[in-house]
Amino acid sequence: MATAGKVIKCKAAVAWEPNKPLVIEEIEVAPPEANEIRIKIVATALCHTDLYHLLESMQPQGFPTVLGHEGAGIVESVGPGVSEYQQGDKVIPLFISQCRQCHFCKSPRSNQCSSIFSWISRHDAMAPPTSRFTCKGKELLQFVGTSTFSEYTVVNEMAVAKIDPMAPLDKVCLLGCGICTGYGAAVNTAKVEPGSTCAVFGLGAVGMAAVMGCKAAGAKRIIGIDINPEKFEKAKVFGATDFVNPKDHDKPISQVLIEMTKWGVDFSLECVGNVSVMRSALESCVQGYGVSVIVGWTDLRDIAIRPNQLISGRTWKGSTFGGFKGRDAVPQMVKVYMDKKLMLDEFITHHMTLDQINDVKTIFTTTQYGVFYVPHTS
């Protein structure tokens, strides 16, 4: 390809400051260095974590940055030492890498990888220490190592999943975060059992995917909890059987769920990113063996819980990317979708261009998901 080995100039949505509109800029994307891959992004979706970094966390150390971590594209070129990927491959960039060699990658108990600790330890920036992006003479941070709100991005080969060449990128891009995160939290982290009763707190995309995961695992009753009742009909599509709007009750939601189920739910999944909801999700579980999983992302406040809630036998767990080891599992999830055993199309509510990125925030707060296409330079 004519662009291989050269700096590419392309469009990107740049977040110069926290809590400010993104700006469509022409940026420079350097060629991939050793063990890196430059990817032409074809489609990307908005995740709440992008908005969290921009509008809630607002750490000045995390700007200027290019957001986006839920995309799919085509390999434009590869750097020295890359042998598993080649020009033209369809790929999904991953915010959790898989080197396949470290202590964590070799353990079946975790999907973490020591190679991501360079940006995990920089939680205020949510970006690795180096970037291949520049704009107006300034280096731009690469959000969680992916930055899919750019027409091109450069990612380490450890953080790229090669997928079926027939896969529709505008659909499978959702597997880069939200769908795997919710679905895997149910099947991998919670390990939902057949015939069980589950509660999913928050019916955004991650929550809907968690509902879908509970159903796939054989749950008999799946209770969706959200303060927006307009989401309930959509949740039925993914397998929810009952619904609760906390605004309709003058008692703690945990008490409502215990009364609905007699003893409490077997499994609960918190998909909001709110510490109060996390506590409610745990307290909704049956004493003795109930399992609650924290899925929603936040790092702003501590969680408060009375010790007896855990001493009584409940288990409290956390889940990142649904427990999936990305390079191995994402291609498998793509196959499950291609075999029509996983819903993705049903999550998509809008198709928009990169130039409309600032309109996506409003849409995101009122719907389950928004996917916007990224047009490319020639």
Side-chain angles (χ1 to χ4, degrees), residues 128-149:
T130 60
S131 167
R132 303 287 170 256
F133 297 145
T134 55
C135 182
K136 299 178 180 179
K138 295 182 179 180
E139 183 178 84
L140 305 175
L141 294 173
Q142 186 176 28
F143 186 66
V144 298
T146 55
S147 289
T148 59
F149 291 175

Side-chain angles (χ1 to χ4, degrees), residues 60 260 301 346 354:
M260 288 176 62
R301 297 175 182 84
E346 293 79 1
L354 184 62

Side-chain angles (χ1 to χ4, degrees), residues 105-140:
C105 283
K106 290 182 177 181
S107 171
R109 298 189 296 172
S110 173
N111 69 335
Q112 299 296 298
C113 176
S114 62
S115 65
I116 68 168
F117 293 165
S118 62
W119 73 258
I120 288 290
S121 62
R122 291 159 42 88
H123 60 86
D124 51 353
M126 294 189 74
T130 60
S131 167
R132 303 287 170 256
F133 297 145
T134 55
C135 182
K136 299 178 180 179
K138 295 182 179 180
E139 183 178 84
L140 305 175

Side-chain angles (χ1 to χ4, degrees), residues 337-355:
Y337 166 72
M338 298 290 282
D339 291 341
K340 302 187 184 304
K341 297 178 180 178
L342 181 77
M343 288 185 281
L344 291 181
D345 303 46
E346 293 79 1
F347 285 89
I348 300 170
T349 60
H350 293 73
H351 296 85
M352 306 179 74
T353 66
L354 184 62
D355 293 328

Side-chain angles (χ1 to χ4, degrees), residues 1-15:
M1 187 174 287
T3 53
K6 301 177 182 178
V7 172
I8 290 178
K9 292 185 177 182
C10 68
K11 289 199 300 184
V14 178

